[in-house]
Amino acid sequence: MVYDFILLIYIFRVYDYIKKNEKKKIVFRVSILLCFPQVIGFDFFFPVGNTSRSISTSRSSSPPFDCETLALSHSTMICSISGEVPEEPVVSKSSGLLFEKRLIERHILDYGKCPVSGETLAVDDLVPIKTGKVVKPRPVQAASIPGMLGMFQNEWDALVLSAFASEQQLHTTRQELSHCLYQHDSACRVIARLKKELDEAKTMLANLERQAPMAASTAVAASASALSNGKRAAEDDALGPDGKKIRPGISASIITELTDCNAALSQLRKKRQIPPTLASVDAVERYTQLNSYPLHKTNKAGILSIDIHQSKDLIATGGVDTNAVVFNRSSGEILSTLSGHSKKVSSVKFVADGELVVTGSADKTVRVWQGSENGNYDCKHVLRDHTAEVQAVTVHATNNYFVTASLDNSWCFYDLSSSLCLAQVEDSSASDGYTSAAFHPDGLILGTGTAGAVVKIWDVKSQANVARFDGHVGAVTAISFSENGYFLATAAQDGVKLWDLRKLRNFRTLSLYDENTPTQSVEFDHSGSYLAIGGSDIRVYQVASVKSEWNCIKTFPDLSGTGKINSVRFGPDAKYIAVGSMDRNLRLFGLPGEDGAMEPES
């Protein structure tokens, strides 16, 4: 207080000294007001009644000047965006509003309009205002420590209120997001349930559609067989002394047909030459994935068997989802889905010109499917001669007969036209059942693989076991005869073994994977020039002689990510390779641009 009083006395003395000069008096008043606003009030130096009094000097011709006008002009120079005195003020021609130059230019760059009026605004519409470079005075609150503390407190309160509002908005957003996610999850579950009901309805409808023609065709077949052989029905139901069905057996006429076919094919094999259209080794080395087609259901993924009709370029697949699919590779379309089995389809084969398809399943049945004019395949016969899972189906070269192999330790020889089991051969020495089977290209030899790691060769005419190959570890999962008639390839847990049928011995073993990775598929191409092997990847070997080395010319990775290739087949002239694994996709490998297939629809 003493200091303020002394200062006040000093100010009054100085004021008396310069009161004779009006101009010096105004400068003095403004300086005192700006430096000590908390000590001297504004009205003390500029009474309200005299605020409009103009100040002029003899050396100045400026307009009248007063402090109220100065204060008013100072207070109106405020940016319409920031609310602060601009450093580089500009005025809009259209709205007359004042802005900070850098702020309004950034806003125009982002939005192209006035932030206040919303009118279209360009940078050319801004008029700069020239101002003197002055030092901004400190606000009244910043002239003392209590005022600064008050400013800081106000700023802190505003910050806390803003944070609180942000937290409330975040909480509301989280609630809305949670509600949206709940609705999305509910919608997904409803869609999944509807899809499942739709699949079940389609399956039931397909079964109902097939039961009616099946019943009619069975009645016609029964009546026809009764006319040709009145004892047919009795023979079907007749049981032998051991309680097993009595089979009619393979007749002499059928044996003659098989022998004639063998002789004709043997003569053709002697003149056989490698077709010039066969894919070269260099081409196979450049094979890559062409297409991937999702043919089977996702809830039970896995393609277990593949067969290719060479002339029509049709591909049949058997899946874990209990369905078989007939696929046209040229058009990239599914021709028909064969639904009827109750368990996985373990084997599928085309017959003759592709109008018939035979499938074997883990439901212990074999089904014969007849193609129709509209491209669909209808179930013609259901064969229930096995008492365990049917693991393999193989078709004879005459296209009039086929053989099925099962885990019930038996294989059955069927007449295709009547779907009658002519012979069921049981092997009492095999306790683990059959896991694979294939006809020799000439048709008089049948090869079977067992779950007990044994390969057996059968004479079809006498149904006698004429050779036995030991040496594998684990079930024999696949078996394939070469077109040259000399080589047999078998796959098991320990890899692939190559057998010379002339000397009945193993001449080469390909151990490709570790002991925990079985080889699931092995297949010679139609010319006998290449050998494809499927395990945890796909490998293609160039076929050589017994003494020469069989070289691996190409390895394809397992693109399904399952690590299990179930089936590998060569297309016509080995122009492509079809692969089925434990996902739902059929994959084709070949040379891009040379396969002639359509791209899959996305």
Side-chain angles (χ1 to χ4, degrees):
M1 292 296 294
V2 177
Y3 171 78
D4 292 340
F5 180 73
I6 296 173
L7 181 61
L8 204 58
I9 294 173
Y10 174 76
I11 290 173
F12 278 120
R13 289 184 177 180
V14 174
Y15 178 72
D16 291 336
Y17 177 75
I18 63 173
K19 64 181 179 179
K20 294 180 181 181
N21 192 322
E22 189 69 20
K23 184 176 180 179
K24 292 183 179 180
K25 184 190 301 183
I26 292 298
V27 175
F28 173 73
R29 288 178 180 178
V30 173
S31 301
I32 295 300
L33 176 62
L34 295 179
C35 296
F36 305 100
Q38 73 278 20
V39 180
I40 308 299
F42 187 90
D43 295 337
F44 179 82
F45 294 99
F46 304 100
V48 177
N50 298 326
T51 53
S52 61
R53 181 164 52 88
S54 60
I55 302 172
S56 61
T57 60
S58 59
R59 291 177 295 177
S60 174
S61 61
S62 301
F65 172 84
D66 62 87
C67 290
E68 183 177 0
T69 305
L70 176 63
L72 182 60
S73 63
H74 180 74
S75 62
T76 54
M77 292 286 288
I78 300 298
C79 175
S80 299
I81 297 178
S82 64
E84 297 180 357
V85 178
E87 295 180 359
E88 294 183 72
V90 292
V91 175
S92 171
K93 293 180 181 180
S94 58
S95 63
L97 296 173
L98 184 72
F99 301 100
E100 176 69 59
K101 182 179 180 180
R102 57 182 177 83
L103 297 180
I104 190 61
E105 287 182 349
R106 184 180 304 171
H107 186 85
I108 291 174
L109 182 63
D110 293 339
Y111 302 101
K113 59 183 181 179
C114 178
V116 179
S117 63
E119 300 176 354
T120 303
L121 186 62
V123 178
D124 297 336
D125 297 332
L126 301 177
V127 178
I129 298 177
K130 297 182 179 181
T131 59
K133 300 296 182 178
V134 296
V135 179
K136 293 182 180 180
R138 286 190 300 173
V140 177
Q141 294 86 349
S144 65
I145 293 178
M148 295 179 65
L149 292 177
M151 284 175 40
F152 294 153
Q153 183 65 45
N154 293 336
E155 291 290 337
W156 171 255
D157 294 342
L159 182 61
V160 171
L161 291 175
S162 177
F164 178 72
S166 299
E167 288 182 358
Q168 283 187 324
Q169 185 178 2
L170 177 61
H171 179 68
T172 303
T173 305
R174 284 179 174 174
Q175 287 182 331
E176 294 176 355
L177 178 60
S178 176
H179 183 67
C180 292
L181 291 176
Y182 176 77
Q183 288 182 332
H184 179 267
D185 183 62
S186 300
C188 289
R189 283 182 288 178
V190 170
I191 293 173
R193 187 180 75 250
L194 292 177
K195 284 185 177 180
K196 181 179 179 181
E197 293 176 356
L198 179 61
D199 292 339
E200 292 176 353
K202 287 183 178 179
T203 303
M204 293 176 61
L205 180 61
N207 292 337
L208 291 175
E209 289 177 349
R210 290 192 181 94
Q211 283 177 1
M214 255 179 56
S217 61
T218 304
V220 172
S223 61
S225 62
L227 291 174
S228 61
N229 185 359
K231 297 182 180 180
R232 164 76 182 275
E235 288 176 353
D236 284 347
D237 296 333
L239 299 178
D242 55 357
K244 299 180 180 179
K245 291 182 180 181
I246 298 177
R247 306 295 181 182
I250 302 177
S251 63
S253 61
I254 295 177
I255 293 176
T256 301
E257 181 182 2
L258 300 181
T259 304
D260 292 344
C261 177
N262 174 72
L265 293 176
S266 297
Q267 286 298 114
L268 291 175
R269 182 167 293 105
K270 293 179 181 179
K271 303 176 183 179
R272 183 181 68 92
Q273 295 181 353
I274 302 299
T277 55
L278 181 69
S280 64
V281 175
D282 293 337
V284 175
E285 290 176 347
R286 292 184 286 118
Y287 278 7
T288 184
Q289 177 172 310
L290 300 176
N291 296 311
S292 177
Y293 300 94
L295 303 184
H296 291 268
K297 297 179 181 178
T298 57
N299 56 345
K300 293 183 179 179
I303 296 177
L304 302 179
S305 177
I306 296 177
D307 193 33
I308 299 178
H309 194 282
Q310 298 289 324
S311 60
K312 291 187 175 182
D313 206 7
L314 301 179
I315 302 176
T317 62
V320 179
D321 61 355
T322 72
N323 294 331
V325 175
V326 178
F327 176 74
N328 188 327
R329 190 191 72 92
S330 299
S331 63
E333 298 177 350
I334 295 177
L335 297 183
S336 182
T337 299
L338 285 53
S339 300
H341 286 290
S342 60
K343 295 185 179 180
K344 62 184 180 181
V345 179
S346 53
S347 184
V348 58
K349 289 291 181 182
F350 280 111
V351 182
D353 56 356
E355 296 300 322
L356 292 177
V357 175
V358 183
T359 58
S361 170
D363 62 4
K364 307 175 186 178
T365 66
V366 177
R367 291 178 179 254
V368 180
W369 307 82
Q370 175 71 53
S372 58
E373 294 180 357
N374 59 5
N376 292 326
Y377 284 76
D378 300 321
C379 185
K380 182 180 180 182
H381 297 289
V382 180
L383 313 178
R384 307 180 186 276
D385 298 292
H386 288 291
T387 59
E389 295 184 12
V390 179
Q391 293 287 302
V393 175
T394 179
V395 180
H396 191 268
T398 59
N399 287 315
N400 295 327
Y401 311 97
F402 67 94
V403 164
T404 61
S406 170
L407 291 178
D408 61 2
N409 299 325
S410 71
W411 55 270
C412 294
F413 186 91
Y414 287 93
D415 175 30
L416 188 61
S417 59
S418 64
S419 294
L420 177 64
C421 179
L422 302 179
Q424 185 170 13
V425 181
E426 297 188 6
D427 186 4
S428 58
S429 62
S431 58
D432 298 323
Y434 295 106
T435 52
S436 57
F439 269 115
H440 187 274
D442 292 343
L444 287 183
I445 295 176
L446 175 70
T448 59
T450 69
V454 178
V455 179
K456 294 185 177 182
I457 306 298
W458 303 81
D459 180 7
V460 178
K461 295 186 294 183
S462 62
Q463 300 97 60
N465 181 205
V466 295
R468 173 190 174 108
F469 298 145
D470 297 301
H472 269 302
V473 175
V476 180
T477 54
I479 183 171
S480 178
F481 288 95
S482 173
E483 186 63 24
N484 63 15
Y486 303 143
F487 298 148
L488 170 66
T490 56
Q493 181 78 26
D494 56 344
V496 174
K497 289 185 179 293
L498 302 174
W499 310 87
D500 186 355
L501 297 178
R502 295 166 295 186
K503 298 182 179 180
L504 300 179
R505 68 180 183 88
N506 169 234
F507 66 90
R508 182 165 281 100
T509 299
L510 304 175
S511 299
L512 309 178
Y513 312 108
D514 56 57
E515 58 183 8
N516 297 323
T517 305
T519 305
Q520 298 289 339
S521 179
V522 62
E523 177 77 9
F524 284 100
D525 78 299
H526 194 64
S527 68
S529 302
Y530 301 109
L531 177 69
I533 300 172
S536 60
D537 55 18
I538 307 103
R539 306 190 186 191
V540 180
Y541 282 79
Q542 184 179 13
V543 175
S545 63
V546 174
K547 296 182 179 180
S548 301
E549 189 67 26
W550 293 43
N551 298 319
C552 178
I553 59 177
K554 184 64 177 180
T555 300
F556 303 100
D558 175 26
L559 299 179
S560 70
T562 61
K564 188 176 182 181
I565 304 298
N566 293 321
S567 185
V568 180
R569 292 291 182 272
F570 284 99
D573 293 327
K575 293 295 186 182
Y576 66 89
I577 300 174
V579 177
S581 55
M582 283 308 293
D583 66 346
R584 62 193 292 247
N585 297 316
L586 170 69
R587 289 180 169 82
L588 302 181
F589 294 84
L591 283 180
E594 296 186 7
D595 62 319
M598 299 289 291
E599 291 294 330
E601 296 183 1
S602 57

